[in-house]
Amino acid sequence: MASAAPVITDVSYTDLLEDPYPVFKRVRDTAPAVFVAAANLTLVTRFDDIMSIERDPATYSSDNPASLVNKVMGPTFMRKDGAAHATGRKAIEPSFRPGTIKEHWAPKFTEICERLIGALREAGEADLFSALAAPMASLSLMEMIGFKAMPWQTLAEWSQSLIDGAGNYARDAEIDRKAMEAGAGIDAAIEAVLDHHRANPNPSILSSMVHADPPMPIEEMRANIKVIIGGGLNEPRDAILTLTLGLLENSAQKESVLARPELWPTAFEEAIRWISPIGMYPRRVTRPVDLAGVALPEGVQIGLCVGAANRDDRRFTEPDRFDMFRPKQSHLAFGAGAHFCAGTWVSRQTVGRIVVPMLFERLSNLRLRDDAPPVIRGWVFRGPVSLPVRWDA
Ligand code: HEM
């Protein structure tokens, strides 16, 4: 008979933020689902369990009327199931087609990257978070959405305010205020370009939305653009930094990929397996169910820890190591099932084929600084928040 999820109370939120991997391992070794008090959530951490959950959306729903994402951003397809999800997803799909990425986005993103790296070259040192990864992710997302040009910091701040608002379980008034302010800024930025996209069909996401059949209603457009800003900026930024860090810490692998550029895609996949930019996303249990021997009651929220599943030693040997030569195995960094990340191919192209290869090619003898080590943080979203480097100017 299935038993209730075990409970872990002696882990703090700071433990999760600073280094979630020991906690993830403990949860993985304890049971298929464990309530972790610091997260106020039942966490699922084993690879096979997450795969089986993602195959059964009727039992493990993305739809949660009480979710803060819905409150802060509005009715988004990312938090719907079935036909309601598929309609929204289909509407944005033309902007994410492999052909569109190759012919339209790749040249634009190459240009942005050349500009950012060109401006850095003489300096000889920088923190790659603010000098490259954050502006790159912001400026390319701005292009993809179809916004008018604005400072990269504006989109980055909106993104952070929305993320903070969606995670504001303590209902801090200031966090709510900032999230609302970001939402209003985004609504105004959409309004400013909608007529242009209506009159001039183009590959941007807003254009895809207004020209979809049927066109996406304005309220959904606003919500989905907010989800894309909240969820399409951090991850490529963090993936750029994580892949760079993995290579800088492992010089033999770095030499291999520089000598054989066809290895870049493999290096990219290993980086996001190693430190997954999205560590956890939620699902709601719709009926009492037995998850591999653990009884989950109807209505409970569970957190699918893909960051933990990607280090599950039942699937990956020595999972804590960055090793691009490990036996090829699929990972869960982009999720699975119906909600598999819409931005997968554009991220593979931008991070793994444009930004990080150009960085190593243009900045010679790129290296970490002994006096300023990288800082990595987060568990729901995780990545380097500071990556100081030097090169030969
Ligand atoms: C390395 C970069 C990225 C990673 C690791 C990543 C990861 C993920 C994950 C794990 C999900 C599933 C969330 C869930 O099921 O609740 C997701 C969904 C999504 N991602 Fe990404 N993402 C990345 C980049 C992007 C980019 C650049 C965009 C947009 C420009 C984007 C747009 C989306 C959208 C729209 C969804 C919702 C899909 C749906 O519900 O059908 N992502 N992403």
Side-chain angles (χ1 to χ4, degrees), residues 213-292:
D213 182 17
M216 191 179 276
I218 181 74
E219 194 199 354
E220 289 179 28
M221 222 185 265
R222 289 182 179 143
N224 292 325
I225 290 293
K226 284 174 196 144
V227 161
I228 288 170
I229 293 173
L233 199 152
N234 279 22
E235 300 87 340
R237 179 196 71 198
D238 296 350
I240 290 169
L241 296 168
T242 295
L243 173 54
T244 305
L245 178 65
L247 294 174
L248 289 176
E249 283 183 339
N250 296 278
S251 54
Q253 295 181 58
K254 181 189 73 185
E255 296 310 328
S256 299
V257 76
L258 295 183
R260 294 171 53 204
E262 69 276 15
L263 289 175
W264 277 112
T266 313
F268 169 74
E269 300 299 329
E270 173 61 0
I272 60 170
R273 179 207 65 81
W274 177 52
I275 302 180
S276 305
I278 293 191
M280 185 279 286
Y281 54 82
R283 294 290 184 256
R284 184 175 54 88
V285 176
T286 59
R287 62 175 177 89
V289 67
D290 172 347
L291 175 70

Side-chain angles (χ1 to χ4, degrees), residues 77-79 85 89 96 141 228 231-232 235-236 239 277-278 281 283 333-335 338-339 341-343 347:
F77 68 81
M78 197 179 75
R79 291 285 171 263
H85 163 257
R89 172 87 185 220
F96 292 90
L141 189 63
I228 288 170
E235 300 87 340
I278 293 191
Y281 54 82
R283 294 290 184 256
F334 289 116
H339 293 273
C341 175
S347 303

Side-chain angles (χ1 to χ4, degrees), residues 114-123:
E114 275 174 341
R115 197 157 26 89
L116 291 168
I117 294 180
L120 273 182
R121 258 174 115 160
E122 303 298 308

Side-chain angles (χ1 to χ4, degrees), residues 6-12 15-16 19-38 43-46 308 311-314 320:
V7 176
I8 290 182
T9 53
D10 59 345
V11 158
S12 71
D15 293 336
L16 279 168
D19 184 4
Y21 296 115
V23 184
F24 284 163
K25 178 167 171 42
R26 184 170 156 201
V27 172
R28 254 189 344 251
D29 291 346
T30 301
V34 174
F35 181 80
V36 176
L43 302 184
V44 179
T45 51
R46 297 180 187 170
R311 291 198 185 199
D312 186 344
D313 53 17
R314 292 163 190 79
D320 296 332

